[in-house]
Amino acid sequence: MRSLIDFNQGWLYAARDLPLSAPDAEFAPVTLPHSNAPLPHHNFDISAYTFISTYRKHFDLPEPLAGRRLMLDFDGVMTACQVYLNGHLLGEHDGGYVPCSFDITERARPTGNLLQVCVDSTEREDIPPFGYVIDYLTFGGIYRDVRLRYVAPVHIRDAFVRTHDVLSSTPSAEIDLWLHNALIEPVQVAVNWICDYTPRDDAAPAESLDAP
């Protein structure tokens, strides 16, 4: 039931803050990942990319929902964003180095959807790495991939893997899983983990791998 679909094509871009009512003629076509401003290799001011810009995309659903949930995944938007679908605010996200996801199931239509993303690329003290002293430039825009992700009503929302003794002959791993149930009633689920482990040629011989 899970499906992952590339969503990088067919975007529109304007290097300023535009309202939802702005015509498409105010935008230029772009493909993601995208930088909010072309910059030279040296000798430029940070004001060249620290501004608010707008991204827009018209789209039809590539697959029917068929009882699934539909997530919109951004791998990275620098530095903060507000995401609108068909005139409704889906949510906001702060932090350009952390991915974000929005559940668009209730707002998405089979055809004729309008997605708009307001991207704030200014150096805001309330969003790391700003607020103190940094020695690098962050740039701006939707600078990583975007995807549509169809998932079952009960699905893995997040996962965290901790590895132990990876250079020894008995490496192991622990996984924390966060499950999300979009159904009305509680359900019981089983989670199966298949670990395909192949030791490196220069690693110590692997005798066993704990796979709880």
Side-chain angles (χ1 to χ4, degrees), residues 25-209:
E26 298 288 327
F27 296 78
V30 296
T31 298
L32 305 183
H34 179 260
S35 174
N36 66 346
L39 299 170
H41 294 293
H42 52 77
N43 297 333
F44 63 88
D45 191 274
I46 63 171
S47 62
Y49 65 84
T50 53
F51 57 86
I52 297 176
S53 59
T54 308
Y55 290 82
R56 175 179 287 181
K57 182 177 174 68
H58 297 271
F59 70 98
D60 301 332
L61 293 188
E63 298 178 6
L65 288 174
R68 298 174 293 179
R69 309 297 295 183
L70 181 55
M71 313 299 293
L72 175 64
D73 298 335
F74 293 86
D75 281 353
V77 182
M78 187 65 74
T79 298
C81 65
Q82 294 178 320
V83 181
Y84 298 84
L85 180 61
N86 298 326
H88 300 277
L89 177 63
L90 296 175
E92 304 179 11
H93 179 75
D94 294 341
Y97 296 117
V98 181
C100 58
S101 297
F102 300 91
D103 189 335
I104 67 173
T105 310
E106 308 301 332
R107 299 296 185 185
R109 301 189 287 251
T111 60
N113 294 285
L114 176 60
L115 175 66
Q116 188 152 314
V117 184
C118 176
V119 178
D120 183 355
S121 300
T122 60
E123 296 189 355
R124 291 172 44 177
E125 293 185 358
D126 60 321
I127 302 177
F130 311 111
Y132 192 55
V133 178
I134 60 174
D135 61 352
Y136 56 91
L137 303 175
T138 59
F139 306 103
I142 305 180
Y143 75 105
R144 292 179 179 169
D145 292 325
V146 180
R147 285 176 291 271
L148 286 179
R149 176 168 48 97
Y150 290 81
V151 296
V154 181
H155 57 274
I156 296 174
R157 187 189 70 196
D158 208 347
F160 185 81
V161 180
R162 289 184 298 274
T163 57
H164 304 284
D165 302 319
V166 294
L167 298 181
S168 73
S169 60
T170 57
S172 62
E174 297 178 69
I175 298 181
D176 293 335
L177 294 178
W178 288 262
L179 302 180
H180 178 71
N181 178 17
L183 301 173
I184 298 176
E185 300 295 331
V187 296
Q188 289 185 339
V189 297
V191 178
N192 297 318
W193 175 34
I194 300 175
C195 181
D196 185 6
Y197 171 70
T198 302
R200 287 170 32 189
D201 293 339
D202 59 346
E207 299 176 1
S208 64
L209 175 65

